[in-house]
Amino acid sequence: MVVIRAGRLPIQRNSLREQIAGALREELMAGRLAAGSNFTVKEIAELYGVSATPAREALVDLAAQGLLRAEHHRGFTVPEFGWADFLEIFEARAMLTDSAFRQLALRPPGYDWSRLGSLRRRAEAATRAARAGQLDVMVGCDRRFWQEMTVFLENRRIADYLDWLRVQSWMFAAPYLRAQGELSGVCWTRHTELVERIADQDLSGAHRMMNDYNLFTVRLLAELAGESLDSVAVLGLLTAEPTGALPGPLPTPDPTPGR
Protein backbone atom coordinates (compact mmCIF):
# COMPACT_ATOMS: atom_id res chain seq x y z
CA MET A 1 0.00 0.00 0.00
CA VAL A 2 1.37 3.43 -0.92
CA VAL A 3 2.10 5.49 2.20
CA ILE A 4 3.34 8.74 0.65
CA ARG A 5 1.26 11.85 0.20
CA ALA A 6 0.48 13.03 -3.30
CA GLY A 7 1.54 16.56 -4.18
CA ARG A 8 4.74 16.66 -2.10
CA LEU A 9 6.75 17.06 -5.33
CA PRO A 10 4.55 18.38 -8.19
CA ILE A 11 4.87 16.32 -11.36
CA GLN A 12 5.37 18.29 -14.56
CA ARG A 13 4.04 17.01 -17.86
CA ASN A 14 7.50 17.07 -19.47
CA SER A 15 9.78 14.07 -18.86
CA LEU A 16 7.20 12.24 -16.77
CA ARG A 17 9.43 9.21 -16.38
CA GLU A 18 12.26 11.28 -14.87
CA GLN A 19 9.87 13.42 -12.82
CA ILE A 20 8.20 10.41 -11.21
CA ALA A 21 11.54 8.70 -10.58
CA GLY A 22 12.88 11.89 -9.02
CA ALA A 23 9.85 12.32 -6.78
CA LEU A 24 10.04 8.72 -5.57
CA ARG A 25 13.80 8.94 -5.10
CA GLU A 26 13.40 11.86 -2.69
CA GLU A 27 10.67 9.96 -0.84
CA LEU A 28 13.11 7.07 -0.44
CA MET A 29 15.98 9.32 0.64
CA ALA A 30 13.86 11.06 3.27
CA GLY A 31 12.60 7.78 4.70
CA ARG A 32 8.98 8.57 3.85
CA LEU A 33 8.84 5.29 1.95
CA ALA A 34 9.91 2.81 4.60
CA ALA A 35 11.78 -0.43 3.96
CA GLY A 36 9.29 -3.17 3.09
CA SER A 37 6.73 -0.78 1.57
CA ASN A 38 5.13 -2.39 -1.46
CA PHE A 39 3.21 -0.75 -4.30
CA THR A 40 2.09 -1.44 -7.84
CA VAL A 41 2.43 0.44 -11.10
CA LYS A 42 -1.30 1.20 -10.94
CA GLU A 43 -0.99 2.79 -7.49
CA ILE A 44 1.91 5.02 -8.55
CA ALA A 45 0.14 6.00 -11.78
CA GLU A 46 -3.00 6.97 -9.84
CA LEU A 47 -0.98 8.78 -7.17
CA TYR A 48 0.67 11.09 -9.69
CA GLY A 49 -2.22 11.24 -12.15
CA VAL A 50 -0.35 9.72 -15.09
CA SER A 51 -0.73 6.71 -17.35
CA ALA A 52 0.79 3.36 -16.46
CA THR A 53 3.64 3.62 -18.98
CA PRO A 54 5.72 6.45 -17.42
CA ALA A 55 4.95 5.12 -13.93
CA ARG A 56 6.22 1.65 -14.90
CA GLU A 57 9.29 3.10 -16.61
CA ALA A 58 10.17 5.16 -13.51
CA LEU A 59 9.77 2.17 -11.21
CA VAL A 60 11.85 -0.05 -13.48
CA ASP A 61 14.57 2.62 -13.58
CA LEU A 62 14.69 2.79 -9.78
CA ALA A 63 14.74 -1.01 -9.55
CA ALA A 64 17.65 -1.13 -12.01
CA GLN A 65 19.52 1.27 -9.69
CA GLY A 66 18.91 -1.02 -6.70
CA LEU A 67 16.63 1.54 -5.02
CA LEU A 68 13.55 -0.68 -5.40
CA ARG A 69 13.11 -4.43 -5.68
CA ALA A 70 10.82 -5.85 -8.37
CA GLU A 71 8.52 -8.55 -6.95
CA HIS A 72 6.94 -11.04 -9.37
CA HIS A 73 3.19 -10.37 -9.44
CA ARG A 74 3.54 -8.08 -6.40
CA GLY A 75 4.82 -4.82 -7.86
CA PHE A 76 7.81 -3.12 -6.25
CA THR A 77 9.18 -3.18 -2.72
CA VAL A 78 11.52 -0.79 -0.90
CA PRO A 79 14.67 -2.74 0.08
CA GLU A 80 16.14 -2.64 3.58
CA PHE A 81 19.73 -1.44 3.92
CA GLY A 82 21.44 -2.78 7.04
CA TRP A 83 24.72 -1.78 8.66
CA ALA A 84 26.72 -4.16 6.45
CA ASP A 85 25.16 -2.55 3.36
CA PHE A 86 25.94 0.91 4.67
CA LEU A 87 29.57 -0.06 5.32
CA GLU A 88 29.98 -1.15 1.70
CA ILE A 89 28.37 2.09 0.50
CA PHE A 90 30.42 4.24 2.86
CA GLU A 91 33.75 2.55 2.17
CA ALA A 92 33.26 2.81 -1.60
CA ARG A 93 32.44 6.50 -1.22
CA ALA A 94 35.42 7.19 1.03
CA MET A 95 37.89 5.37 -1.20
CA LEU A 96 36.62 7.05 -4.36
CA THR A 97 36.74 10.58 -2.97
CA ASP A 98 40.16 10.09 -1.39
CA SER A 99 41.60 8.70 -4.63
CA ALA A 100 40.01 11.46 -6.71
CA PHE A 101 41.49 14.20 -4.51
CA ARG A 102 44.93 12.61 -4.71
CA GLN A 103 44.69 12.47 -8.50
CA LEU A 104 43.77 16.15 -8.63
CA ALA A 105 47.11 16.99 -7.00
CA LEU A 106 48.95 15.44 -9.97
CA ARG A 107 47.57 17.59 -12.77
CA PRO A 108 46.54 21.19 -13.50
CA PRO A 109 42.86 21.71 -12.67
CA GLY A 110 40.37 21.75 -15.52
CA TYR A 111 37.54 22.86 -13.26
CA ASP A 112 35.25 25.58 -14.60
CA TRP A 113 35.81 28.21 -11.89
CA SER A 114 32.78 30.19 -13.05
CA ARG A 115 30.69 27.50 -11.31
CA LEU A 116 31.81 28.68 -7.86
CA GLY A 117 28.84 31.02 -7.48
CA SER A 118 26.40 28.18 -8.07
CA LEU A 119 28.38 25.89 -5.76
CA ARG A 120 28.26 28.52 -3.00
CA ARG A 121 24.50 28.85 -3.35
CA ARG A 122 24.07 25.09 -3.10
CA ALA A 123 26.32 25.06 -0.02
CA GLU A 124 24.36 27.83 1.67
CA ALA A 125 21.05 26.04 1.03
CA ALA A 126 22.40 22.72 2.36
CA THR A 127 23.85 24.43 5.44
CA ARG A 128 20.57 26.23 6.23
CA ALA A 129 18.58 23.00 5.95
CA ALA A 130 21.04 21.08 8.13
CA ARG A 131 21.13 23.78 10.80
CA ALA A 132 17.34 23.93 10.86
CA GLY A 133 17.13 20.15 11.13
CA GLN A 134 14.63 19.95 8.27
CA LEU A 135 15.13 16.39 7.05
CA ASP A 136 12.59 16.60 4.21
CA VAL A 137 14.38 19.68 2.84
CA MET A 138 17.85 18.49 3.80
CA VAL A 139 17.92 15.41 1.59
CA GLY A 140 17.28 17.39 -1.58
CA CYS A 141 19.61 20.27 -0.70
CA ASP A 142 22.36 17.88 0.35
CA ARG A 143 22.13 15.82 -2.82
CA ARG A 144 22.13 18.87 -5.08
CA PHE A 145 25.14 20.32 -3.26
CA TRP A 146 27.18 17.14 -3.64
CA GLN A 147 26.14 16.75 -7.27
CA GLU A 148 27.56 20.23 -7.90
CA MET A 149 30.56 19.59 -5.66
CA THR A 150 31.63 16.39 -7.41
CA VAL A 151 31.96 18.26 -10.71
CA PHE A 152 35.17 19.57 -9.11
CA LEU A 153 36.57 16.03 -9.23
CA GLU A 154 36.55 16.25 -13.04
CA ASN A 155 35.33 12.71 -13.62
CA ARG A 156 31.70 12.34 -14.63
CA ARG A 157 31.56 8.59 -14.00
CA ILE A 158 32.91 8.98 -10.47
CA ALA A 159 30.44 11.82 -9.87
CA ASP A 160 27.50 9.69 -11.07
CA TYR A 161 28.59 6.72 -8.97
CA LEU A 162 29.03 8.89 -5.87
CA ASP A 163 25.53 10.29 -6.40
CA TRP A 164 24.10 6.75 -6.55
CA LEU A 165 25.94 5.86 -3.35
CA ARG A 166 24.66 9.02 -1.64
CA VAL A 167 21.04 8.17 -2.40
CA GLN A 168 21.52 4.76 -0.78
CA SER A 169 23.32 6.34 2.19
CA TRP A 170 20.30 8.53 2.82
CA MET A 171 17.98 5.53 2.52
CA PHE A 172 19.93 3.91 5.34
CA ALA A 173 20.33 7.04 7.45
CA ALA A 174 16.89 8.68 7.14
CA PRO A 175 14.94 6.28 9.40
CA TYR A 176 17.50 6.74 12.21
CA LEU A 177 17.51 10.51 11.79
CA ARG A 178 13.71 10.71 11.59
CA ALA A 179 13.47 8.72 14.83
CA GLN A 180 15.53 11.43 16.58
CA GLY A 181 12.79 14.01 16.12
CA GLU A 182 14.80 17.20 16.68
CA LEU A 183 17.70 17.31 14.21
CA SER A 184 18.95 20.88 14.66
CA GLY A 185 22.69 20.67 15.30
CA VAL A 186 22.86 16.93 14.56
CA CYS A 187 24.00 16.87 10.92
CA TRP A 188 27.10 18.23 9.18
CA THR A 189 26.94 21.98 8.45
CA ARG A 190 30.36 22.88 6.99
CA HIS A 191 29.40 22.92 3.30
CA THR A 192 30.34 26.59 2.81
CA GLU A 193 33.74 26.07 4.47
CA LEU A 194 34.47 23.28 2.01
CA VAL A 195 33.58 25.54 -0.92
CA GLU A 196 35.92 28.26 0.35
CA ARG A 197 38.79 25.77 0.54
CA ILE A 198 38.18 25.06 -3.13
CA ALA A 199 37.89 28.76 -3.97
CA ASP A 200 41.27 29.31 -2.28
CA GLN A 201 42.74 26.35 -4.19
CA ASP A 202 43.59 24.77 -0.86
CA LEU A 203 43.42 21.20 -2.05
CA SER A 204 44.84 19.75 1.16
CA GLY A 205 42.29 21.73 3.19
CA ALA A 206 39.43 20.56 0.96
CA HIS A 207 40.69 16.98 1.08
CA ARG A 208 41.00 17.10 4.87
CA MET A 209 37.49 18.54 5.18
CA MET A 210 36.09 15.77 2.98
CA ASN A 211 37.74 13.22 5.25
CA ASP A 212 36.35 15.01 8.30
CA TYR A 213 32.90 14.94 6.71
CA ASN A 214 33.14 11.20 6.11
CA LEU A 215 34.37 10.62 9.66
CA PHE A 216 31.50 12.73 11.02
CA THR A 217 29.02 10.71 8.95
CA VAL A 218 30.19 7.25 9.96
CA ARG A 219 30.53 8.19 13.64
CA LEU A 220 27.02 9.66 13.72
CA LEU A 221 25.41 6.70 12.02
CA ALA A 222 27.33 4.15 14.07
CA GLU A 223 26.02 5.87 17.19
CA LEU A 224 22.44 6.03 15.91
CA ALA A 225 22.49 2.42 14.71
CA GLY A 226 24.19 1.13 17.87
CA GLU A 227 27.16 -0.23 15.89
CA SER A 228 30.89 -0.24 16.60
CA LEU A 229 33.41 1.70 14.53
CA ASP A 230 35.69 -1.34 14.73
CA SER A 231 33.94 -2.68 11.63
CA VAL A 232 34.85 0.40 9.54
CA ALA A 233 37.89 -0.61 7.50
CA VAL A 234 38.66 2.83 6.03
CA LEU A 235 39.16 4.82 9.23
CA GLY A 236 42.92 4.86 8.67
CA LEU A 237 42.43 6.22 5.16
CA LEU A 238 40.33 9.08 6.50
CA THR A 239 43.01 10.12 8.99
CA ALA A 240 45.93 9.90 6.55
CA GLU A 241 47.86 12.96 5.37
CA PRO A 242 45.86 14.72 2.63
CA THR A 243 47.05 16.09 -0.68
CA GLY A 244 48.79 19.44 -1.23
CA ALA A 245 47.91 22.55 -3.21
CA LEU A 246 46.42 22.48 -6.68
CA PRO A 247 49.08 22.74 -9.39
CA GLY A 248 48.96 25.32 -12.15
CA PRO A 249 48.11 29.03 -12.30
CA LEU A 250 45.48 30.68 -10.14
CA PRO A 251 42.03 30.93 -11.77
CA THR A 252 40.35 34.17 -12.65
CA PRO A 253 38.46 35.27 -9.49
CA ASP A 254 34.71 34.74 -9.49
CA PRO A 255 33.30 38.26 -10.18
CA THR A 256 30.08 37.61 -8.26
CA PRO A 257 30.94 35.28 -5.40
CA GLY A 258 27.98 33.56 -3.82
CA ARG A 259 25.47 35.14 -6.19
Side-chain angles (χ1 to χ4, degrees):
M1 185 67 182
V2 178
V3 295
I4 57 179
R5 295 193 296 273
R8 187 183 297 278
L9 288 177
I11 301 302
Q12 305 299 320
R13 288 292 166 181
N14 59 317
S15 304
L16 283 178
R17 175 182 187 162
E18 291 83 1
Q19 290 284 334
I20 296 167
L24 289 171
R25 189 180 291 109
E26 291 216 1
E27 297 287 339
L28 291 165
M29 289 172 64
R32 293 188 295 261
L33 271 176
S37 299
N38 178 268
F39 39 82
T40 65
V41 170
K42 182 174 183 292
E43 287 177 313
I44 295 302
E46 290 177 351
L47 178 67
Y48 291 115
V50 299
S51 67
T53 297
R56 181 182 297 106
E57 290 172 340
L59 291 168
V60 168
D61 286 347
L62 293 175
Q65 296 165 25
L67 306 181
L68 291 175
R69 187 172 65 245
E71 305 277 1
H72 190 54
H73 296 312
R74 292 190 63 243
F76 295 82
T77 300
V78 179
E80 180 177 0
F81 292 111
W83 180 249
D85 298 303
F86 173 71
L87 282 183
E88 290 185 350
I89 294 164
F90 176 77
E91 289 173 2
R93 196 174 84 186
M95 287 188 286
L96 270 176
T97 52
D98 183 81
S99 177
F101 267 94
R102 293 183 185 280
Q103 288 299 311
L104 282 177
L106 302 178
R107 64 179 188 268
Y111 180 65
D112 179 3
W113 295 95
S114 68
R115 299 181 70 123
L116 275 175
S118 175
L119 183 57
R120 283 190 175 103
R121 289 192 294 274
R122 297 292 190 196
E124 290 163 1
T127 299
R128 284 194 301 270
R131 286 177 176 165
Q134 300 170 328
L135 182 61
D136 290 341
V137 178
M138 199 188 311
V139 292
C141 290
D142 179 82
R143 185 181 179 218
R144 287 186 284 273
F145 167 73
W146 289 108
Q147 284 176 321
E148 184 89 23
M149 170 64 198
T150 51
V151 173
F152 176 72
L153 300 178
E154 301 176 32
N155 187 311
R156 181 178 55 81
R157 287 176 173 81
I158 287 179
D160 289 345
Y161 186 54
L162 286 172
D163 181 59
W164 177 65
L165 293 172
R166 185 165 304 281
V167 171
Q168 294 178 84
S169 294
W170 272 112
M171 288 176 66
F172 171 79
Y176 292 105
L177 292 169
R178 194 169 288 281
Q180 296 301 298
E182 176 57 52
L183 292 177
S184 180
V186 172
C187 297
W188 199 71
T189 59
R190 302 178 65 192
H191 307 77
T192 54
E193 292 181 55
L194 176 56
V195 173
E196 293 315 310
R197 296 292 185 278
I198 292 170
D200 293 340
Q201 290 201 98
D202 179 6
L203 186 59
S204 63
H207 190 174
R208 185 177 294 108
M209 188 164 288
M210 278 297 306
N211 286 346
D212 288 345
Y213 163 72
N214 283 325
L215 281 169
F216 180 99
T217 298
V218 74
R219 285 169 176 163
L220 173 63
L221 290 176
E223 179 183 353
L224 295 180
E227 299 287 347
S228 171
L229 288 174
D230 293 341
S231 57
V232 183
V234 293
L235 288 181
L237 179 70
L238 299 178
T239 56
E241 185 63 24
T243 53
L246 282 168
L250 287 170
T252 302
D254 180 13
T256 56
R259 295 289 182 269

